[in-house]
Each structure stands twice: as C-alpha cells, then as structure tokens.
Amino acid sequence: MTRIPKSEFARRRKALMDQMEPNSIAILPAAPVHLRNRDVEHVYRQDSDFQYLSGFPEPEAVVALIPGREHGEYVLFCRERDPERELWDGLRAGQDGAIKEYGADDAFPIGDIDDILPGLIEGRSRVYYAIGSNPEFDHQLMEWINTIRSKARLGAQPPSEFVALDHLLHDMRLYKSANEVKVMRAAAEISARAHIRAMQASRSGLFEYHLEAELDYEFRKGGAKMPAYGSIVAAGRNACILHYRENDAPLRDGDVVLIDAGCEIDCYASDITRTFPVSGRFSAEQKAIYQIVLDANLEAFKHIAPGKHWNEAHEATVRVITAGLVRLGLLEGEVDELIAAEAYKPFYMHRAGHWLGMDVHDVGDYKVGGEWRVLEPGMCMTVEPGIYIAVDNEQVAKKWRGIGIRIEDDVVVTRDGCEILTGGVPKEIAEIEALMAASREQVA
Ligand code: GLY
Ligand code: MN
Ligand code: MN
C-alpha cells in the first residue's frame, strides 16, 4: 500500500523545528481513545497533527520536540510493552520501537511523563502548543507548568510564552509533498472504483445502504481502514439534504442517487461526489440540472492554478450555475444582478470546495491579511458545485422539485494548472448511462 515514507516524518520535524524561536519546546498529544458505548471503543484514528510529525499510530503518546537538546531533539512518550495487554489488545511499539521504528531520539514510558516532561520544559522560554483542542491535555500541561512555577524559588525557570503550534503546522500541512500527493492519488483511485461499483450495483428495490455496502467493500479491498467521513448515499429528495446520513431509504426508478464518499489511506482523505439515476437513465429535467452542475465543475478547474486566488473557482461555479438556472427559467433576471443579489443561494448554498488532506475539511487559512489566498503548487482542494431544488420550493414548476445534484472532484495545484485526482470515475451523462447499461447487460 502507498504510504508516507519514514524519512518524510523526520523532514517535517526538522522543518517545524527550523521555524521555532530559539530556546523552545513543542508538545503534542496523541488522539484519545473514544468510547462508543460501555466498553466498546470507536475505531482509533490518530490526531492529524500528531500523525503528521510522528507517523506513530498508538494512543496514550506525547511528542516533545526540543531543538538543540543535547540528548536528542525528538522525545516520544508512549505505552510500555506489556505481554498481558498485548495478548488482548494488540502489539505496542514500546520505547525500543519508538526509537528503532519511529525515529525518536529518546523514548520514555507514558506513565513517567509527570516526572520527566516538566524537566524538559523547565528553562525553555517558549512552549509551542495547540491550546483548546484537547481540554484534558490542556489541564495536564498547566499542571506541569505549575510544578515548575512552584519551584521558581529554587531557581526553576518556567516558560514565559505560549505560541500557537497549530498555526505553524497547519501552514506546513497545506502544501502537499510529492509523497503526500502519491498517497492522496491512491486514496482517490480506490474511491473512484468504489463509486463505479455503486453505480453498477444500483437497482430500484434496493436501499441506500446496499450502495453504501458496495462502497465499503471497495474501500476495504483497497486497503483503507475506514472512510474519511461518514458516507452519504442519498436517493430522491434526500439528495437535497447536504449532510444526509441515514442511508436507509429505498431506491426508486425515476430518482437520482447522490453519493458523497471517499476512503482514507494512511490518514489522507479523498472526497468524491457523483449523482446518477437509480434506473441508469436520467430524466429530461435531471439531465438539464446535471449538465449545469457538470459545466460548473469543469469550469472551476480552469480557475485553479498558481497565481489565481482561492475564491476564483467558487466565483466561476456561481456564474455557470446562475446562468444555467436562468436558461431553464428557474431564475429570472440579469445574470450579473442575480449574482450580486445572491439569488442562486436557495439552489446553491455551499461553497465550491475546501482544502483537502489529512482532514477531509483540511487545515490552512483561506485568507491571508484579509485577502483570498493565492494558490501555489501542492495545495489540494475539492471542486464540488451543486444544485438542490427543495421539494417545497413553490417558486419553481413541480417537475423540478426534489432534484439534488452535486459533482465533486479532488485536485492538486501543479506548476502550470491543476491535476484532477478523481478522474477515474465517470461524470459525463453519456458515460454514466453507458456504464450503467453495460452492468445491466452483464446481469441479464
Ligand atoms: N464530504 C464532505 C464534503 O464534501 O465537504
Ligand atoms: Mn467536499
Ligand atoms: Mn464530499
């Protein structure tokens, strides 16, 4: 399976430490284990920032980066080996593994952190830490700082400044390396196969969860541990609920199904939406709306390149969608005026995309100094225009009501434009109908 190589984690730690002020320490906790019910745990997912710097997959761990420390700059606290616990719950790296497998310079049992970490903080003037994202750990950190403060009369020097670590780290995470793009391409290819499989399986009489099962099968077969977010399989009017999650309604001839789903590989997300007819053939109204959304999706790519700003792609989709709605008589008036009045919003109420990476709605600022961010190579984002016509929208003729269409792709900015990572799954009307017709012939 495509994965981030170990050497890249070391490069990231060095890049972060190079940006830290002298005499500092950075501290990051692993994600906590979350209980699902009673003693059943949710599937463990490492915290993205922690993963970005360590690649260490276990809970109950803390990374400390201490530039210039004589006995090693990268200290990892983690669980000790424990044959009894490992028999029940699986293997642990332990301190030897932390050093040999994960490149730590020094490793200590997590149970000893109260005794050791205050000593590592003491004498450092700045602590780089993401305050507020893990309240329990915030509290622990304050206790360690107070331990140092209580010894001030003995000459201990508590830190005088806290610096937002997340801001530095999230700017680094916004620029994807060649290795990261490789992993994201792999995730996108598996997700593309999953969407194709769902299209091929679609039949009236099935339920939305049958298609979700097809997605899950292809995700797991590709090596993904889990979807990057809860899959949306929304048939008929459910497609107009943006974050529909029930996935339990019947598929009916005459309806379209909107599937928004992507797998996660090595903690990198993919995020694809396709909308297709349950029966394999779009109706005239569905086709008309679909084509506008597709035109908006295709237009957006022309506005994603180095030097263009973040919002240009969104603005392009707004223009195509507004003009299209006017053409069909769903909006009336001058396109420019309708755009200025945001008349498209009852039909297109979300933005054309978001940063994509270790988190599906990835980190990174969209504006810098009050201005939309200018795109640079390595930035990854989604392109996902949509039109949703509410069932109770009495402003439009009945035949349009309840149609919801979104088409979403993942792209990375390249030196001279952008690369579409999710091109493996069809989106032209004729291509989708041909693919679905072929799957029906095979069965017949
Ligand atoms: N799947 C969530 C989104 O498209 O933003
Ligand atoms: Mn998205
Ligand atoms: Mn999506």
Side-chain angles (χ1 to χ4, degrees):
M1 194 173 64
T2 315
R3 298 190 66 112
I4 300 294
K6 298 259 146 99
S7 56
E8 181 144 330
F9 296 106
R11 247 195 332 267
R12 293 169 179 174
R13 288 190 295 269
K14 179 166 184 334
L16 175 65
M17 287 195 273
D18 284 349
Q19 293 177 67
M20 288 165 62
E21 298 281 340
N23 204 30
S24 318
I25 180 169
I27 300 171
L28 296 95
V33 170
H34 292 287
L35 284 184
R36 181 179 178 277
N37 58 298
R38 197 160 160 84
D39 58 352
V40 181
E41 295 171 0
H42 278 287
V43 177
Y44 186 69
R45 164 57 155 80
Q46 189 53 279
D47 173 80
S48 296
D49 286 339
F50 186 95
Q51 173 73 18
Y52 184 77
L53 289 177
S54 68
F56 191 71
E58 297 181 19
E60 297 181 68
V62 172
V63 159
L65 296 177
I66 316 163
R69 177 175 175 260
E70 209 174 303
H71 300 293
E73 297 182 315
Y74 174 25
V75 178
L76 187 55
F77 294 88
C78 59
R79 300 179 302 189
E80 284 185 276
R81 301 291 311 262
D82 177 342
E84 168 76 5
R85 284 314 330 154
E86 290 181 48
L87 169 67
W88 286 88
D89 299 330
L91 300 182
R92 301 172 171 188
Q95 287 65 54
D96 282 351
I99 292 169
K100 289 201 192 90
E101 302 297 322
Y102 294 95
D105 296 318
D106 222 350
F108 300 103
I110 188 72
D112 294 348
I113 196 166
D114 288 339
D115 298 328
I116 296 170
L117 193 55
L120 297 176
I121 299 172
E122 198 274 320
R124 301 264 153 190
S125 27
R126 276 171 217 85
V127 178
Y128 285 73
Y129 175 67
I131 297 172
S133 41
N134 181 338
E136 211 173 301
F137 197 80
D138 288 356
H139 182 73
Q140 254 184 310
L141 182 59
M142 288 314 132
E143 302 250 299
W144 294 321
I145 302 290
N146 283 336
T147 304
I148 303 169
R149 284 182 183 146
S150 70
K151 294 181 180 149
R153 269 174 299 150
L154 306 171
Q157 294 176 334
S160 53
E161 222 180 286
F162 279 84
V163 185
L165 172 63
D166 29 343
H167 196 257
L168 273 186
L169 214 46
H170 294 176
D171 208 62
M172 288 171 63
R173 280 176 52 190
L174 179 57
Y175 298 86
K176 273 68 179 178
S177 68
N179 286 321
E180 289 180 290
V181 172
K182 224 187 264 176
V183 174
M184 290 183 71
R185 208 180 275 127
E189 282 166 8
I190 295 162
S191 299
R193 288 204 293 276
H195 278 261
I196 290 174
R197 190 180 178 91
M199 285 180 193
Q200 289 170 329
S202 173
R203 299 282 185 283
S204 74
L206 295 181
F207 285 73
E208 292 164 341
Y209 52 75
H210 286 113
L211 302 190
E212 186 179 7
E214 302 290 340
L215 300 167
D216 287 342
Y217 174 75
E218 206 64 53
F219 289 169
R220 291 296 280 134
K221 204 164 66 132
K225 225 168 137 185
M226 54 193 136
Y229 54 91
S231 302
I232 297 168
V233 182
R237 60 173 63 178
N238 294 337
C240 295
I241 303 168
L242 298 180
H243 285 165
Y244 176 74
R245 280 307 323 276
E246 280 81 357
N247 297 359
D248 59 0
L251 308 182
R252 295 198 172 92
D253 271 342
D255 285 344
V256 291
V257 201
L258 181 156
I259 296 186
D260 183 342
C263 69
E264 180 178 280
I265 295 288
D266 205 13
C267 290
Y268 285 84
S270 54
D271 183 8
I272 302 181
T273 307
R274 288 293 184 267
T275 312
F276 56 88
V278 168
S279 65
R281 310 266 318 165
F282 287 96
S283 72
E285 289 77 23
Q286 291 161 354
K287 248 186 208 173
I289 301 292
Y290 188 96
Q291 194 59 50
I292 299 171
V293 177
L294 181 58
D295 291 345
N297 168 286
L298 296 172
E299 180 65 22
F301 300 129
K302 300 180 194 158
H303 299 266
I304 299 176
K308 296 189 184 292
H309 69 66
W310 162 257
N311 209 40
E312 284 183 45
H314 176 71
E315 288 164 5
T317 61
V318 163
R319 180 157 294 276
V320 173
I321 285 175
T322 306
L325 292 172
V326 169
R327 244 185 358 260
L328 295 184
L330 288 155
L331 284 177
E332 280 175 36
E334 282 294 318
V335 171
D336 284 334
E337 285 167 19
L338 291 168
I339 291 174
E342 299 187 333
Y344 55 86
K345 277 213 168 153
F347 302 96
Y348 179 30
M349 59 295 282
H350 58 74
R351 299 194 45 86
H354 48 81
W355 302 131
L356 181 73
M358 299 184 79
D359 296 307
V360 62
H361 296 159
D362 207 27
V363 294
D365 292 334
Y366 291 96
K367 282 189 169 179
V368 176
E371 301 289 334
W372 291 114
R373 188 153 200 153
V374 174
L375 301 181
E376 294 177 56
M379 293 178 174
C380 279
M381 67 204 67
T382 65
V383 169
E384 51 179 305
I387 295 179
Y388 315 89
I389 307 172
V391 271
D392 58 357
N393 185 342
E394 302 203 342
Q395 315 282 314
V396 304
K398 252 201 176 125
K399 62 178 183 176
W400 301 110
R401 295 182 203 162
I403 298 178
I405 312 267
R406 177 163 68 252
I407 306 172
E408 176 174 29
D409 286 296
D410 304 343
V411 307
V412 55
V413 180
T414 57
R415 281 221 313 250
D416 51 5
C418 63
E419 175 191 337
I420 301 169
L421 305 176
T422 44
V425 51
K427 58 184 173 183
E428 292 286 345
I429 290 172
E431 285 175 339
I432 290 176
E433 290 190 342
L435 177 96
M436 295 183 74
S439 71
R440 281 155 171 72
E441 276 162 26
Q442 277 166 17
V443 172

